[in-house]
């Protein structure tokens, strides 16, 4: 997915929300929700629709919408960390600024500015990754259509990237990064995104990366 809006402004969002009596948030947060759901891993819980939360805000003195927006901030924060990016937001950070900080007027402005700043970083990074050339996959007649591509057995401390095929495999989980040392397995939609994560981990640990049995040049 190509993200076209990577320069969102938290200050402008709050200003337009005020002059439209929060109606602007119906449209903007719905679009943001879809973008966030598009880059979540398959096993992560998707963000629900915003409008019901907005209605519940009248009964909860605005707490429910703020909690919903804070949950979006948490998902953005988690994705930023997976991509090795600096994050300016989190659930607690956003909620405290938007709820308690509203007593000092500027709290919500700061909360949305930090959340959108991190979201802009994440979506810019994902756009960059999607534009990188992806190596053509080696074909093998011995590979089962519903299983991972079989590669050479890596050393225990190597990071391995494998492609999963078959009709039951989600488009967002085509590439798996397997950390043999910790046993952690993460899934990604593109090889470029998987390589970016694997290389960042491998460099910190001083180990190699294997892509379907081949050491990727960018990991050396």
């Amino acid at each position: 997915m190509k993200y076209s809006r990577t320069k969102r402004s938290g200050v402008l969002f709050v200003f337009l929300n005020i002059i439209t009596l929060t109606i602007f948030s119906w449209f903007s947060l719905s679009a943001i929700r879809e973008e966030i759901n598009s880059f979540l891993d398959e096993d992560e819980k998707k963000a629900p629709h915003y409008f019901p939360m907005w209605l519940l805000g009248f009964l909860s003195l605005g707490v429910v919408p703020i909690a919903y927006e804070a949950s979006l901030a948490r998902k953005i924060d988690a994705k930023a960390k997976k991509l090795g990016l600096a994050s300016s937001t989190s659930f607690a950070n956003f909620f405290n600024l938007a709820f308690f900080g509203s007593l000092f007027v500027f709290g919500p402005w700061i909360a949305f500015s930090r959340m959108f700043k991190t979201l802009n970083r994440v979506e810019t990074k994902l756009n960059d990754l999607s534009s990188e050339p992806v190596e053509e996959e080696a074909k093998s007649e011995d590979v089962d259509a519903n299983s991972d591509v079989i590669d050479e057995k890596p050393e225990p401390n190597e990071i391995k990237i494998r492609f999963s095929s078959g009709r039951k495999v989600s488009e967002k989980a085509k590439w798996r990064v397997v950390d043999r040392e910790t046993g952690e397995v993460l899934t990604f939609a593109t090889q470029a995104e998987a390589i970016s994560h694997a290389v960042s981990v491998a460099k910190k640990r001083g180990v190699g990366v294997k892509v379907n049995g081949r050491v990727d040049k960018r990991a050396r």
Side-chain angles (χ1 to χ4, degrees):
M1 179 177 180
K2 191 72 175 179
Y3 303 97
S4 58
R5 301 193 62 188
T6 58
K7 294 183 179 180
R8 286 188 172 95
S9 168
V11 173
L12 180 61
F13 173 86
V14 175
F15 176 74
L16 292 176
N17 228 21
I18 292 173
I19 64 176
T20 62
L21 301 179
T22 73
I23 294 176
F24 177 73
S25 64
W26 298 359
F27 305 97
S28 58
L29 287 180
S30 293
I32 290 171
R33 165 190 167 271
E34 291 182 3
E35 292 176 13
I36 293 174
N37 283 344
S38 72
F39 60 62
L40 294 179
D41 291 337
E42 188 178 28
D43 59 342
E44 291 185 272
K45 186 177 180 180
K46 305 299 183 182
H49 291 284
Y50 173 71
F51 187 68
M53 308 300 169
W54 179 85
L55 291 176
L56 290 173
F58 293 103
L59 302 176
S60 62
L61 299 179
V63 174
V64 172
I66 292 175
Y68 174 88
E69 292 152 1
S71 70
L72 295 182
R74 177 175 54 203
K75 296 179 187 298
I76 296 169
D77 174 55
K79 188 63 176 181
K81 291 176 179 176
K82 284 185 179 180
L83 293 173
L85 302 173
S87 175
S88 305
T89 192
S90 67
F91 183 95
N93 177 283
F94 185 95
F95 187 88
N96 289 335
L97 283 170
F99 185 72
F100 298 108
S102 62
L103 299 175
F104 303 97
V105 181
F106 293 106
W109 302 75
I110 299 173
F112 279 102
S113 293
R114 290 186 174 184
M115 184 175 80
F116 289 160
K117 184 178 181 179
T118 306
L119 178 62
N120 291 340
R121 287 175 185 158
V122 168
E123 294 188 345
T124 299
K125 179 67 174 181
L126 292 175
N127 283 341
D128 292 341
L129 290 173
S130 64
S131 64
E132 290 181 6
V134 179
E135 293 186 354
E136 184 178 355
E137 288 303 304
K139 297 180 180 179
S140 174
E141 297 180 355
D142 299 328
V143 178
D144 186 274
N146 294 316
S147 62
D148 292 341
V149 174
I150 301 173
D151 58 4
E152 299 172 6
K153 185 177 181 181
E155 296 298 324
N157 61 346
E158 285 184 326
I159 309 297
K160 180 171 60 175
I161 301 173
R162 299 192 297 182
F163 177 76
S164 299
S165 60
R167 285 181 292 181
K168 295 183 179 180
V169 178
S170 168
E171 289 297 326
K172 295 181 181 179
K174 286 289 187 182
W175 291 91
R176 294 183 180 183
V177 176
V178 182
D179 190 332
R180 300 281 292 187
E181 182 174 303
T182 64
E184 181 183 43
V185 178
L186 296 177
T187 58
F188 299 89
T190 65
Q191 185 198 44
E193 190 174 352
I195 287 174
S196 176
H197 174 76
V199 169
S200 64
V201 175
K203 283 184 178 179
K204 292 178 182 178
R205 201 176 296 164
V207 298
V209 174
K210 280 195 174 182
V211 182
N212 287 348
R214 303 188 306 278
V215 177
D216 191 270
K217 294 179 181 179
R218 283 171 288 185
R220 291 178 180 177

